[in-house]
Amino acid sequence: CAGRREVGHLRLADLTAVHLDDLYRKLLTTGGRDGKGRAPRTVRYCHSVLHSALADAVRKAVSNELAAR
């Protein structure tokens, strides 16, 4: 996903839907190599990758929390 520069500096706890909406908007309008927007399919793929990564992070945090008990 091409959003590393946009949201990569944020801690997971600080990441909000507004950050992701801004990322998707930027990818659609100016996120391409030539300054043009990326294709909607590419942005959907980026969303899928981020969704999976965030779900994994939540799952791992919960399992670590349970293991610590």
Side-chain angles (χ1 to χ4, degrees), residues 4-23:
R4 190 176 353 163
R5 276 186 275 159
E6 300 301 317
V7 296
H9 66 283
L10 296 170
R11 295 175 48 121
L12 284 177
D14 298 331
L15 186 63
T16 66
V18 172
H19 291 118
L20 296 177
D21 287 343
D22 289 344
L23 168 64

Side-chain angles (χ1 to χ4, degrees), residues 56-69:
D56 285 347
V58 168
R59 184 177 41 80
K60 289 177 183 177
V62 169
S63 66
N64 286 341
E65 212 175 275
L66 292 174
R69 292 183 184 182

Side-chain angles (χ1 to χ4, degrees), residues 5-49:
R5 276 186 275 159
E6 300 301 317
V7 296
H9 66 283
L10 296 170
R11 295 175 48 121
L12 284 177
D14 298 331
L15 186 63
T16 66
V18 172
H19 291 118
L20 296 177
D21 287 343
D22 289 344
L23 168 64
Y24 300 145
R25 188 177 309 106
K26 183 172 183 180
L27 289 174
L28 285 168
T29 57
T30 61
R33 291 184 191 152
D34 57 358
K36 295 180 182 176
R38 298 206 179 211
R41 183 175 180 186
T42 301
V43 177
R44 280 193 305 271
Y45 177 75
C46 183
H47 169 76
S48 296
V49 170

